[in-house]
Amino acid sequence: MLHGTTKFLLLSIGLTVGATQAQAITFSIVAQSGDAAPASDPFFSLVYDELYRPSINDAGETAFRATLEGSRGASVDNDEGIFNSQKALARQGDLAISGYEGGPAFFNTFRNDVALNNSGDVAFAATLDGNVTVDDDSGVFSSNGLVAREGAAVPGAVSGTYSRFGGAPRLNNAGEVRFAAGSNTVRPGFFNSAGAVLNEQDVAPGTGGAKFQSLGDRFDFNDSGDMAFGAL
């Protein structure tokens, strides 16, 4: 039994499957409010405050968004981030983009959902601070860096820039990141680093020519690139 005040708790589950039924289920705590959080400087004493939806891969590794608190080292400018059980993967105030027009940009806030693949790589959406405007202050990122930024040109399109990112990006074991986005000239849909994968008004297969009217923001895709999503 857990004692004390536990506001938020992340658990991982181990399942041993026999020939006909589950033989054993084990639970282990990944993180809970009040636990020491990874910090880049040992002088800082930071603990987890709130923990959000985790992702888990086939190796049992987890990744999650969390907010932080502490008497030293936590402020409104650096009190949230993306974590695994060993370290901070991205933290508010960290450099997100260098050498961009007007200067560097820094992570500001993170969306709750973090995608995690079997290599331990993550993908997430974040807002930006620093040398940004309201037209380019958000983006999609992975462990390898920037995937797409609001205000940047849509690859493969004759013209058009990203105007918004919806939902949560997804990441497969091949390292491909896909995300839902809108553009000022390109029809909304699903994109990757090379451009559009599927857009609204594309013909829906098997419908005799009917077109997608709305794709929404929620989807998933596998290592072969096959997608699952709801649409009108």
Side-chain angles (χ1 to χ4, degrees):
M1 177 179 293
L2 298 175
H3 298 280
T5 301
T6 303
K7 293 190 295 182
F8 293 86
L9 176 68
L10 300 181
L11 294 173
S12 65
I13 302 174
L15 177 64
T16 302
V17 180
T20 59
Q21 62 181 1
Q23 294 178 331
I25 299 177
T26 59
F27 294 86
S28 59
I29 296 175
V30 176
Q32 62 180 326
S33 296
D35 282 354
S40 58
D41 189 330
F43 174 77
F44 296 147
S45 55
L46 301 174
V47 297
Y48 290 123
D49 182 18
E50 297 181 355
L51 302 158
Y52 297 86
R53 287 187 291 270
S55 294
I56 188 168
N57 64 16
D58 292 345
E61 299 171 315
T62 58
F64 52 92
R65 173 182 174 257
T67 59
L68 304 172
E69 62 180 1
S71 57
R72 296 181 299 183
S75 70
V76 294
D77 298 318
N78 64 4
D79 63 351
E80 67 173 276
I82 305 297
F83 299 85
N84 62 22
S85 59
Q86 289 83 37
K87 62 182 179 179
L89 304 174
R91 188 173 166 190
Q92 185 181 30
D94 285 353
L95 179 66
I97 304 171
S98 62
Y100 190 74
E101 296 177 7
F106 305 88
F107 289 124
N108 185 20
T109 61
F110 302 92
R111 289 192 180 163
N112 288 346
D113 294 280
V114 182
L116 173 68
N117 69 11
N118 286 342
S119 297
D121 296 326
V122 297
F124 55 90
T127 62
L128 302 171
D129 202 356
N131 292 283
V132 300
T133 70
V134 294
D135 297 319
D136 63 3
D137 63 350
S138 66
V140 174
F141 298 83
S142 75
S143 297
N144 295 317
L146 178 68
V147 177
R149 181 175 181 174
E150 181 186 9
V154 178
V158 175
S159 63
T161 59
Y162 290 117
S163 58
R164 70 166 186 88
F165 300 105
R170 310 305 300 165
L171 171 68
N172 68 11
N173 290 319
E176 181 186 355
V177 180
R178 294 186 185 180
F179 52 92
S183 167
N184 58 351
T185 60
V186 180
R187 297 186 303 275
F190 304 123
F191 298 80
N192 61 15
S193 59
V197 176
L198 181 69
N199 295 104
E200 293 177 3
Q201 297 301 314
D202 285 353
V203 174
T207 63
K211 296 181 179 180
F212 292 116
Q213 299 302 305
S214 176
L215 294 175
D217 292 334
R218 296 181 180 275
F219 72 98
D220 206 351
F221 76 113
N222 63 18
D223 296 345
S224 298
D226 301 323
M227 294 186 68
F229 56 90
L232 297 176

